[in-house]
Short mmCIF file of all heavy atoms in Angstrom, two decimals:
data_model
loop_
_atom_site.label_atom_id
_atom_site.label_comp_id
_atom_site.label_asym_id
_atom_site.label_seq_id
_atom_site.Cartn_x
_atom_site.Cartn_y
_atom_site.Cartn_z
N SER K 28 0.83 -1.22 0.00
CA SER K 28 0.00 0.00 0.00
C SER K 28 0.85 1.26 0.00
O SER K 28 0.35 2.35 -0.25
CB SER K 28 -0.90 0.00 1.24
OG SER K 28 -0.12 0.10 2.43
N GLY K 29 2.14 1.10 0.29
CA GLY K 29 3.01 2.26 0.40
C GLY K 29 3.11 2.78 1.82
O GLY K 29 3.87 3.71 2.09
N LYS K 30 2.35 2.18 2.74
CA LYS K 30 2.40 2.58 4.14
C LYS K 30 3.42 1.71 4.87
O LYS K 30 3.46 0.49 4.70
CB LYS K 30 1.03 2.44 4.80
CG LYS K 30 -0.04 3.35 4.19
CD LYS K 30 -1.38 3.11 4.87
CE LYS K 30 -2.47 3.99 4.28
NZ LYS K 30 -3.80 3.76 4.91
N VAL K 31 4.22 2.35 5.71
CA VAL K 31 5.27 1.64 6.43
C VAL K 31 4.70 0.51 7.27
O VAL K 31 5.22 -0.62 7.26
CB VAL K 31 6.06 2.62 7.32
CG1 VAL K 31 6.99 1.85 8.26
CG2 VAL K 31 6.86 3.58 6.47
N GLU K 32 3.62 0.79 8.01
CA GLU K 32 3.08 -0.23 8.91
C GLU K 32 2.55 -1.44 8.15
O GLU K 32 2.64 -2.58 8.63
CB GLU K 32 1.98 0.37 9.80
CG GLU K 32 0.81 0.98 9.05
CD GLU K 32 1.00 2.47 8.75
OE1 GLU K 32 2.16 2.91 8.71
OE2 GLU K 32 -0.01 3.16 8.54
N ASP K 33 1.99 -1.20 6.95
CA ASP K 33 1.49 -2.33 6.15
C ASP K 33 2.64 -3.20 5.66
O ASP K 33 2.57 -4.43 5.70
CB ASP K 33 0.67 -1.83 4.97
CG ASP K 33 -0.66 -1.23 5.42
OD1 ASP K 33 -1.06 -1.48 6.56
OD2 ASP K 33 -1.28 -0.51 4.61
N PHE K 34 3.69 -2.56 5.18
CA PHE K 34 4.79 -3.32 4.60
C PHE K 34 5.60 -4.04 5.68
O PHE K 34 5.79 -5.26 5.61
CB PHE K 34 5.72 -2.39 3.81
CG PHE K 34 6.87 -3.11 3.15
CD1 PHE K 34 6.66 -3.89 2.03
CD2 PHE K 34 8.16 -2.99 3.66
CE1 PHE K 34 7.72 -4.57 1.42
CE2 PHE K 34 9.22 -3.66 3.06
CZ PHE K 34 9.00 -4.44 1.94
N TYR K 35 6.06 -3.29 6.67
CA TYR K 35 6.96 -3.90 7.66
C TYR K 35 6.22 -4.80 8.66
O TYR K 35 6.60 -5.95 8.88
CB TYR K 35 7.74 -2.82 8.40
CG TYR K 35 8.79 -3.37 9.33
CD1 TYR K 35 9.87 -4.09 8.82
CD2 TYR K 35 8.72 -3.18 10.71
CE1 TYR K 35 10.84 -4.61 9.66
CE2 TYR K 35 9.69 -3.69 11.56
CZ TYR K 35 10.75 -4.41 11.02
OH TYR K 35 11.71 -4.93 11.85
N ALA K 36 5.14 -4.27 9.24
CA ALA K 36 4.44 -5.01 10.30
C ALA K 36 3.71 -6.23 9.75
O ALA K 36 3.62 -7.26 10.42
CB ALA K 36 3.47 -4.09 11.03
N VAL K 37 3.19 -6.12 8.53
CA VAL K 37 2.38 -7.20 7.97
C VAL K 37 3.18 -8.06 6.99
O VAL K 37 3.32 -9.28 7.16
CB VAL K 37 1.11 -6.65 7.28
CG1 VAL K 37 0.31 -7.78 6.66
CG2 VAL K 37 0.27 -5.86 8.28
N GLN K 38 3.74 -7.41 5.96
CA GLN K 38 4.37 -8.18 4.89
C GLN K 38 5.74 -8.74 5.27
O GLN K 38 6.21 -9.68 4.63
CB GLN K 38 4.48 -7.32 3.62
CG GLN K 38 3.11 -6.96 3.03
CD GLN K 38 3.23 -6.06 1.82
OE1 GLN K 38 3.41 -4.86 1.93
NE2 GLN K 38 3.12 -6.67 0.64
N ILE K 39 6.39 -8.15 6.26
CA ILE K 39 7.70 -8.65 6.70
C ILE K 39 7.60 -9.44 8.00
O ILE K 39 7.94 -10.62 8.06
CB ILE K 39 8.71 -7.49 6.87
CG1 ILE K 39 8.88 -6.73 5.54
CG2 ILE K 39 10.05 -8.03 7.36
CD1 ILE K 39 9.43 -7.54 4.40
N LEU K 40 7.11 -8.80 9.05
CA LEU K 40 7.14 -9.42 10.37
C LEU K 40 6.18 -10.60 10.53
O LEU K 40 6.34 -11.41 11.44
CB LEU K 40 6.86 -8.37 11.45
CG LEU K 40 7.93 -7.28 11.61
CD1 LEU K 40 7.59 -6.38 12.77
CD2 LEU K 40 9.33 -7.89 11.78
N GLU K 41 5.19 -10.71 9.67
CA GLU K 41 4.30 -11.87 9.75
C GLU K 41 4.82 -13.06 8.95
O GLU K 41 4.17 -14.10 8.87
CB GLU K 41 2.89 -11.48 9.27
CG GLU K 41 2.17 -10.54 10.24
CD GLU K 41 0.71 -10.33 9.88
OE1 GLU K 41 0.25 -10.94 8.89
OE2 GLU K 41 0.04 -9.55 10.58
N SER K 42 6.01 -12.91 8.36
CA SER K 42 6.65 -14.02 7.65
C SER K 42 7.57 -14.77 8.61
O SER K 42 7.77 -14.36 9.76
CB SER K 42 7.45 -13.48 6.47
OG SER K 42 6.62 -12.78 5.57
N ASP K 43 8.15 -15.87 8.15
CA ASP K 43 9.02 -16.64 9.04
C ASP K 43 10.32 -15.90 9.32
O ASP K 43 10.67 -14.92 8.67
CB ASP K 43 9.28 -18.04 8.47
CG ASP K 43 10.03 -18.01 7.14
OD1 ASP K 43 10.98 -17.21 7.01
OD2 ASP K 43 9.65 -18.76 6.23
N LYS K 44 11.05 -16.40 10.32
CA LYS K 44 12.26 -15.73 10.79
C LYS K 44 13.33 -15.60 9.72
O LYS K 44 14.04 -14.60 9.64
CB LYS K 44 12.82 -16.50 12.00
CG LYS K 44 12.05 -16.29 13.29
CD LYS K 44 12.18 -14.84 13.77
CE LYS K 44 11.48 -14.65 15.12
NZ LYS K 44 11.56 -13.24 15.57
N LYS K 45 13.48 -16.62 8.88
CA LYS K 45 14.50 -16.56 7.83
C LYS K 45 14.22 -15.41 6.87
O LYS K 45 15.14 -14.70 6.45
CB LYS K 45 14.55 -17.90 7.08
CG LYS K 45 15.19 -19.02 7.86
CD LYS K 45 15.32 -20.26 6.99
CE LYS K 45 16.02 -21.38 7.75
NZ LYS K 45 16.17 -22.62 6.91
N PHE K 46 12.95 -15.26 6.51
CA PHE K 46 12.59 -14.17 5.60
C PHE K 46 12.80 -12.82 6.28
O PHE K 46 13.32 -11.87 5.66
CB PHE K 46 11.14 -14.32 5.15
CG PHE K 46 10.72 -13.31 4.10
CD1 PHE K 46 11.06 -13.49 2.77
CD2 PHE K 46 10.01 -12.18 4.46
CE1 PHE K 46 10.69 -12.57 1.81
CE2 PHE K 46 9.63 -11.24 3.50
CZ PHE K 46 9.98 -11.45 2.17
N GLN K 47 12.40 -12.70 7.53
CA GLN K 47 12.61 -11.46 8.28
C GLN K 47 14.10 -11.11 8.31
O GLN K 47 14.48 -9.95 8.08
CB GLN K 47 12.09 -11.59 9.70
CG GLN K 47 10.59 -11.70 9.82
CD GLN K 47 10.15 -11.84 11.27
OE1 GLN K 47 10.72 -11.23 12.16
NE2 GLN K 47 9.12 -12.66 11.51
N ASN K 48 14.92 -12.10 8.59
CA ASN K 48 16.37 -11.85 8.68
C ASN K 48 16.95 -11.45 7.33
O ASN K 48 17.87 -10.62 7.27
CB ASN K 48 17.09 -13.09 9.22
CG ASN K 48 16.81 -13.31 10.69
OD1 ASN K 48 16.49 -12.37 11.42
ND2 ASN K 48 16.93 -14.56 11.14
N PHE K 49 16.43 -12.04 6.25
CA PHE K 49 16.91 -11.67 4.92
C PHE K 49 16.62 -10.19 4.67
O PHE K 49 17.49 -9.45 4.20
CB PHE K 49 16.23 -12.54 3.85
CG PHE K 49 16.81 -12.36 2.47
CD1 PHE K 49 17.77 -13.23 1.98
CD2 PHE K 49 16.40 -11.30 1.65
CE1 PHE K 49 18.31 -13.06 0.71
CE2 PHE K 49 16.92 -11.13 0.38
CZ PHE K 49 17.88 -12.02 -0.09
N TYR K 50 15.41 -9.76 4.99
CA TYR K 50 15.05 -8.35 4.79
C TYR K 50 15.91 -7.44 5.66
O TYR K 50 16.43 -6.42 5.18
CB TYR K 50 13.58 -8.11 5.10
CG TYR K 50 13.22 -6.64 5.11
CD1 TYR K 50 13.12 -5.92 3.92
CD2 TYR K 50 13.01 -5.96 6.31
CE1 TYR K 50 12.82 -4.56 3.92
CE2 TYR K 50 12.71 -4.61 6.34
CZ TYR K 50 12.62 -3.91 5.13
OH TYR K 50 12.33 -2.56 5.15
N LYS K 51 16.08 -7.79 6.93
CA LYS K 51 16.87 -6.96 7.84
C LYS K 51 18.32 -6.87 7.38
O LYS K 51 18.94 -5.79 7.41
CB LYS K 51 16.77 -7.50 9.26
CG LYS K 51 15.38 -7.34 9.88
CD LYS K 51 15.31 -7.98 11.25
CE LYS K 51 13.91 -7.83 11.85
NZ LYS K 51 13.80 -8.46 13.19
N ASN K 52 18.88 -7.99 6.95
CA ASN K 52 20.26 -7.99 6.45
C ASN K 52 20.38 -7.19 5.15
O ASN K 52 21.38 -6.51 4.92
CB ASN K 52 20.74 -9.42 6.23
CG ASN K 52 21.01 -10.14 7.52
OD1 ASN K 52 21.39 -9.54 8.53
ND2 ASN K 52 20.79 -11.46 7.54
N PHE K 53 19.34 -7.29 4.32
CA PHE K 53 19.31 -6.49 3.11
C PHE K 53 19.38 -5.00 3.45
O PHE K 53 20.17 -4.25 2.86
CB PHE K 53 18.04 -6.79 2.29
CG PHE K 53 17.78 -5.82 1.18
CD1 PHE K 53 18.41 -5.98 -0.05
CD2 PHE K 53 16.91 -4.75 1.35
CE1 PHE K 53 18.19 -5.06 -1.08
CE2 PHE K 53 16.67 -3.85 0.32
CZ PHE K 53 17.32 -4.00 -0.90
N CYS K 54 18.57 -4.57 4.40
CA CYS K 54 18.56 -3.16 4.81
C CYS K 54 19.93 -2.74 5.32
O CYS K 54 20.45 -1.67 4.96
CB CYS K 54 17.51 -2.92 5.88
SG CYS K 54 15.81 -2.96 5.27
N THR K 55 20.53 -3.58 6.15
CA THR K 55 21.85 -3.26 6.70
C THR K 55 22.88 -3.09 5.61
O THR K 55 23.67 -2.13 5.61
CB THR K 55 22.30 -4.37 7.68
OG1 THR K 55 21.34 -4.48 8.74
CG2 THR K 55 23.66 -4.06 8.26
N GLU K 56 22.88 -4.01 4.63
CA GLU K 56 23.85 -3.94 3.53
C GLU K 56 23.61 -2.72 2.64
O GLU K 56 24.55 -2.22 2.03
CB GLU K 56 23.78 -5.22 2.70
CG GLU K 56 24.23 -6.47 3.41
CD GLU K 56 25.67 -6.37 3.89
OE1 GLU K 56 26.51 -5.82 3.14
OE2 GLU K 56 25.95 -6.83 5.01
N MET K 57 22.38 -2.25 2.58
CA MET K 57 22.06 -1.08 1.75
C MET K 57 22.13 0.22 2.55
O MET K 57 21.73 1.28 2.09
CB MET K 57 20.66 -1.24 1.15
CG MET K 57 20.49 -2.46 0.27
SD MET K 57 21.57 -2.47 -1.20
CE MET K 57 20.67 -1.38 -2.28
N GLY K 58 22.67 0.15 3.77
CA GLY K 58 22.85 1.33 4.58
C GLY K 58 21.56 1.89 5.16
O GLY K 58 21.44 3.09 5.39
N LEU K 59 20.58 1.01 5.41
CA LEU K 59 19.28 1.43 5.92
C LEU K 59 19.03 0.86 7.30
O LEU K 59 19.50 -0.23 7.64
CB LEU K 59 18.17 0.97 4.96
CG LEU K 59 18.27 1.44 3.51
CD1 LEU K 59 17.19 0.78 2.66
CD2 LEU K 59 18.16 2.96 3.42
N ASN K 60 18.24 1.60 8.09
CA ASN K 60 17.83 1.15 9.42
C ASN K 60 16.37 0.72 9.35
O ASN K 60 15.48 1.55 9.18
CB ASN K 60 18.01 2.28 10.44
CG ASN K 60 17.72 1.84 11.86
OD1 ASN K 60 17.09 0.81 12.11
ND2 ASN K 60 18.17 2.63 12.83
N TYR K 61 16.12 -0.58 9.48
CA TYR K 61 14.76 -1.10 9.31
C TYR K 61 13.83 -0.72 10.46
O TYR K 61 12.64 -1.04 10.43
CB TYR K 61 14.78 -2.63 9.14
CG TYR K 61 15.49 -3.37 10.22
CD1 TYR K 61 14.88 -3.67 11.43
CD2 TYR K 61 16.81 -3.77 10.04
CE1 TYR K 61 15.55 -4.35 12.43
CE2 TYR K 61 17.50 -4.46 11.03
CZ TYR K 61 16.86 -4.74 12.22
OH TYR K 61 17.53 -5.42 13.21
N GLU K 62 14.34 -0.01 11.46
CA GLU K 62 13.49 0.47 12.55
C GLU K 62 13.02 1.91 12.33
O GLU K 62 12.25 2.44 13.14
CB GLU K 62 14.25 0.37 13.88
CG GLU K 62 14.55 -1.06 14.29
CD GLU K 62 15.28 -1.14 15.63
OE1 GLU K 62 15.79 -0.09 16.08
OE2 GLU K 62 15.34 -2.25 16.20
N LYS K 63 13.47 2.51 11.24
CA LYS K 63 13.08 3.89 10.93
C LYS K 63 12.13 3.90 9.73
O LYS K 63 12.42 3.26 8.70
CB LYS K 63 14.30 4.75 10.63
CG LYS K 63 15.21 4.98 11.84
CD LYS K 63 16.35 5.92 11.49
CE LYS K 63 17.22 6.21 12.71
NZ LYS K 63 18.35 7.12 12.39
N ASP K 64 11.03 4.62 9.86
CA ASP K 64 10.02 4.67 8.80
C ASP K 64 10.61 5.15 7.48
O ASP K 64 10.31 4.60 6.42
CB ASP K 64 8.86 5.58 9.21
CG ASP K 64 8.01 4.97 10.32
OD1 ASP K 64 8.30 3.83 10.74
OD2 ASP K 64 7.05 5.63 10.76
N ARG K 65 11.42 6.19 7.55
CA ARG K 65 12.00 6.75 6.32
C ARG K 65 12.84 5.72 5.59
O ARG K 65 12.79 5.61 4.36
CB ARG K 65 12.84 7.97 6.68
CG ARG K 65 13.49 8.66 5.47
CD ARG K 65 14.35 9.82 5.91
NE ARG K 65 15.45 9.34 6.76
CZ ARG K 65 16.34 10.15 7.36
NH1 ARG K 65 16.21 11.47 7.25
NH2 ARG K 65 17.31 9.65 8.10
N ASP K 66 13.62 4.95 6.33
CA ASP K 66 14.48 3.95 5.71
C ASP K 66 13.68 2.75 5.20
O ASP K 66 14.05 2.12 4.20
CB ASP K 66 15.54 3.48 6.69
CG ASP K 66 16.66 4.51 6.87
OD1 ASP K 66 16.53 5.62 6.31
OD2 ASP K 66 17.65 4.22 7.57
N ILE K 67 12.58 2.41 5.87
CA ILE K 67 11.72 1.34 5.36
C ILE K 67 11.12 1.74 4.01
O ILE K 67 11.08 0.94 3.07
CB ILE K 67 10.60 1.01 6.37
CG1 ILE K 67 11.21 0.39 7.63
CG2 ILE K 67 9.57 0.06 5.75
CD1 ILE K 67 10.22 0.19 8.75
N LEU K 68 10.69 3.00 3.91
CA LEU K 68 10.17 3.50 2.63
C LEU K 68 11.25 3.47 1.56
O LEU K 68 10.98 3.14 0.40
CB LEU K 68 9.63 4.92 2.80
CG LEU K 68 8.32 5.07 3.58
CD1 LEU K 68 7.99 6.54 3.80
CD2 LEU K 68 7.17 4.37 2.84
#
C-alpha cells in the first residue's frame, strides 16, 4: 500500500524468521535502518 506499517508489520514481520532476517540484512547492507520509517520506505 506504500504505508510503512502495512509493509513492515504485515508483509515482513508476519513471515518466518528466515525471511525477516533476509530483509533486515538487506537493509543493513544497503545502509538502511529497518526500525526507521523513512528507511523502510
Side-chain angles (χ1 to χ4, degrees):
S28 66
K30 297 178 181 179
V31 170
E32 58 269 23
D33 290 344
F34 182 74
Y35 186 63
V37 178
Q38 294 178 280
I39 301 298
L40 294 185
E41 290 188 2
S42 301
D43 63 43
K44 285 293 184 182
K45 287 185 177 180
F46 185 80
Q47 292 180 37
N48 289 335
F49 188 96
Y50 171 74
K51 292 176 181 179
N52 288 329
F53 168 83
C54 287
T55 300
E56 294 301 320
M57 300 298 280
L59 302 174
N60 185 342
Y61 54 82
E62 295 181 345
K63 292 184 177 180
D64 289 357
R65 181 183 62 184
D66 284 6
I67 293 173
L68 288 173

